[in-house]
């Protein structure tokens, strides 16, 4: 985006914010929209956004650390922490500037406090509390996965309850969203998350050395190569087929893929770190096994919800969110599943599936409306790195 475009966008956003602030009711009194600043630093993205209670995104900014972590083959918490520290103030200022809103005009500040990388969460919380204390604003601590689950209500008209599948590099959760902070947990990964598994397979295949994938994160590289691979050349047993619940498991599947990689390296006379000739086929087969596993467990959750009248078959909805929800192959499988079972299928746009400040600000709006978890005293507030379920 060039400087002229940025300047125009800033002017338009500033004008929109000014119009919102000057809007009035029929009685002639000002009807001020509620504005929330959202701050996200749970992992390796520094995000901030201003959202109003009508769901308008007035301004947003994001700093992605992907290229730095690609060089090291994974996220190093101390590096992520330092990059958050270097960028958070500028990102928040940029979001506020684009929105044309000052901190004084905010109704509250919302920030991710759980779960995530401890060092990363700490940066966002520390900066947010400085703003809260300086400007005397209410503080809304946000559960990262709740924010992912509710993002769809920013982009679509979705009423509670709905079935939500949260897929990311750190989490895999099936739940029924019954209210803003009311979730019925149906299933979760008992070991690693799907995004984590795909990243590890990508590292084991040394996809960062592949000419088509050197600038891609692991999961994206797998998805890209799988498009031209033949998944039928390898068959990986789908996990947990005899488990009568909605939980997930991906570590065993990862081990199966690794065994095939080792076998093929021996057959081709290659050392670990050298590129296999069948790399695209392995990527396709691994992605397919992940997709089938996710689809089958989600199908069990659908049947459970309908059988026990948790969801009505007349207006049942499946919402899929989180970074892995932007994988088009997995998304297509879930779309087919939803269509076959009479569920509406909804995903936020890809840019809102990954970590961002918009979802945090919107979750803050939802909580502000419901009067849930809005703190006027932040004494004792802490971040929680470990996942405590919704």
């Amino acid at each position: 985006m060039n400087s002229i475009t940025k300047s125009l966008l800033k002017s338009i956003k500033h004008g929109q914010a000014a119009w919102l602030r000057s809007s009035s009711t029929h009685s002639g009194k000002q009807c001020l929209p509620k504005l929330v600043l959202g701050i996200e630093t749970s992992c390796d993205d520094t995000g901030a956004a201003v959202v109003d209670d009508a769901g308008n995104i007035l301004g947003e900014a994001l700093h992605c650390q992907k290229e730095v972590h690609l060089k090291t083959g994974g996220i190093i918490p101390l590096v992520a922490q330092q990059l958050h520290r270097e960028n958070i103030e500028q990102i928040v200022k940029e979001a506020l500037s684009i929105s044309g809103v000052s901190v004084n005009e905010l109704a509250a500040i919302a920030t991710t406090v759980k779960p995530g990388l401890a060092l990363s969460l700490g940066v966002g919380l520390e900066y947010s509390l400085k703003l809260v204390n300086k400007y005397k604003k209410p503080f809304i601590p946000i559960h990262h996965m709740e924010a992912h689950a509710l993002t769809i209500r920013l982009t679509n008209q979705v009423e509670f309850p709905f079935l939500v599948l949260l897929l990311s590099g750190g989490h895999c959760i099936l739940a029924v969203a019954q209210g803003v902070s009311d979730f019925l947990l149906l299933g979760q990964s008992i070991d690693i998350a799907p995004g984590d598994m795909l990243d590890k397979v990508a590292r084991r295949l040394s996809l960062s050395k592949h000419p088509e994938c050197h600038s891609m994160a692991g999961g994206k590289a797998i998805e890209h190569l799988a498009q031209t691979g033949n998944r039928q050349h390898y068959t990986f047993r789908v996990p947990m087929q005899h488990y009568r619940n909605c939980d997930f498991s991906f570590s065993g599947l990862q081990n199966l893929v690794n065994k095939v990689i080792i076998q093929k390296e021996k057959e081709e006379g290659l050392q670990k770190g050298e590129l296999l000739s069948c790399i695209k086929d392995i990527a396709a087969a691994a992605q397919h096994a992940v997709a089938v596993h996710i689809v089958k467990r989600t199908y069990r959750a659908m049947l459970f919800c309908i059988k026990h009248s948790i969801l009505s078959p007349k207006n049942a909805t499946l919402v899929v969110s989180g970074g892995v929800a932007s994988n088009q192959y997995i998304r297509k499988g879930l779309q087919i599943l939803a269509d076959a079972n009479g569920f509406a299928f909804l995903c936020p746009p890809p840019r809102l599936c990954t970590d961002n400040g918009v979802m945090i600000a919107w979750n803050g709006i939802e909580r502000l409306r419901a009067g849930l978890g809005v703190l006027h005293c932040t004494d004792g507030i802490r971040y929680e790195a470990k996942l405590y379920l919704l």
Side-chain angles (χ1 to χ4, degrees), residues 31-32 47 65 70 73 80 82 85 93 98 110 166 191 213 232 261 271 316 342 344 349 364 366:
C31 181
L32 297 175
Q65 303 175 9
L70 276 175
Q82 183 59 34
R85 283 176 173 165
K93 284 182 177 179
I98 292 170
L166 303 175
D191 38 60
C213 307
Q232 295 179 332
I261 294 171
Q271 297 296 315
E366 292 262 43

Side-chain angles (χ1 to χ4, degrees), residues 327-374:
N327 179 298
Q328 294 302 307
Y329 189 83
I330 294 173
R331 186 183 287 209
K332 182 64 176 176
L334 291 164
Q335 173 81 68
I336 292 169
L337 173 69
D339 291 346
N341 289 277
F343 274 62
F345 179 76
L346 296 173
C347 287
R351 75 179 187 88
L352 295 181
C353 282
T354 51
D355 295 349
N356 60 86
V358 172
M359 71 178 192
I360 306 305
W362 175 248
N363 197 172
I365 288 288
E366 292 262 43
R367 284 184 161 268
L368 195 62
R369 283 175 177 166
L372 295 168
V374 181

Side-chain angles (χ1 to χ4, degrees), residues 292-344:
V292 171
H293 181 41
I294 290 171
V295 167
K296 285 190 172 184
R297 307 315 283 176
T298 304
Y299 180 50
R300 289 189 62 84
M302 287 177 166
L303 294 178
F304 179 84
C305 289
I306 297 301
K307 179 180 178 180
H308 295 278
S309 300
I310 297 169
L311 298 175
S312 168
K314 293 181 180 179
N315 58 358
T317 298
L318 170 64
V319 170
V320 183
S321 191
V324 178
S326 58
N327 179 298
Q328 294 302 307
Y329 189 83
I330 294 173
R331 186 183 287 209
K332 182 64 176 176
L334 291 164
Q335 173 81 68
I336 292 169
L337 173 69
D339 291 346
N341 289 277
F343 274 62

